């Protein structure tokens, strides 16, 4: 059963933080990262993708870019209004940009 939960993960789906049930956290992060990458690589090229909302059988999944290395994922049941979900995603990204700006992900950052 779906719950309203939040995840922060890298572009490759490595989980960094989770609020909610830890049972499926890594799986959700990997799937959301793959959907994001597929859309970013094959979607429209007009603007950089900032947020993607996917409707599923049991709810919605919002994936948003925090910085070039990190993604935010919120998911909720169908009874949550999509506009409310988007507003929460916008606020959370704005809130997390500064604190997470010091996190650098990848082998190149170690040099």
């Amino acid at each position: 059963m779906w719950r309203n939960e939040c995840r922060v993960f890298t572009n490759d789906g490595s989980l960094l933080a989770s609020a909610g049930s830890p049972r499926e956290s890594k799986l959700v992060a990997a799937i959301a990262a793959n959907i994001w990458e597929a859309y970013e690589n094959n979607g429209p090229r007009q603007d950089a993708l900032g947020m993607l909302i996917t409707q599923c059988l049991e709810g919605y999944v919002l994936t948003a870019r925090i910085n070039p290395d990190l993604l935010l994922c919120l998911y909720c049941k169908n009874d949550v209004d999509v506009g409310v979900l988007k507003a929460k995603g916008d606020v959370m990204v704005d809130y997390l940009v500064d604190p997470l700006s010091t996190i650098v992900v990848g082998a190149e950052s170690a040099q």
Side-chain angles (χ1 to χ4, degrees):
M1 181 161 189
W2 277 48
R3 299 174 192 185
N4 301 333
E5 299 189 11
C6 175
R7 310 278 184 259
V8 175
F9 52 92
T10 63
N11 291 328
D12 68 356
S14 298
L15 185 66
L16 297 179
S18 173
S21 171
R23 201 172 120 215
E24 299 170 349
S25 295
K26 290 181 181 180
L27 177 63
V28 169
I31 291 170
N34 281 326
I35 291 170
W36 180 274
E37 182 181 13
Y39 187 84
E40 203 169 56
N41 291 336
N42 301 309
R45 301 275 183 221
Q46 293 132 355
D47 295 322
L49 182 62
M51 183 179 290
L52 178 66
I53 299 175
T54 308
Q55 184 176 12
C56 303
L57 288 175
E58 296 185 21
Y60 298 99
V61 177
L62 176 144
T63 309
R65 175 142 327 270
I66 298 172
N67 65 35
D69 296 322
L70 300 177
L71 296 168
L72 169 72
C73 178
L74 302 176
Y75 55 98
C76 61
K77 296 182 235 175
N78 282 324
D79 61 353
V80 175
D81 184 69
V82 177
V84 172
L85 178 63
K86 183 185 180 317
K88 286 183 178 187
D90 288 337
V91 169
M92 289 192 70
V93 168
D94 290 344
Y95 181 78
L96 292 171
V97 166
D98 287 337
L100 297 181
S101 65
T102 58
I103 297 177
V104 181
V105 179
E108 297 170 5
S109 63
Q111 297 177 356

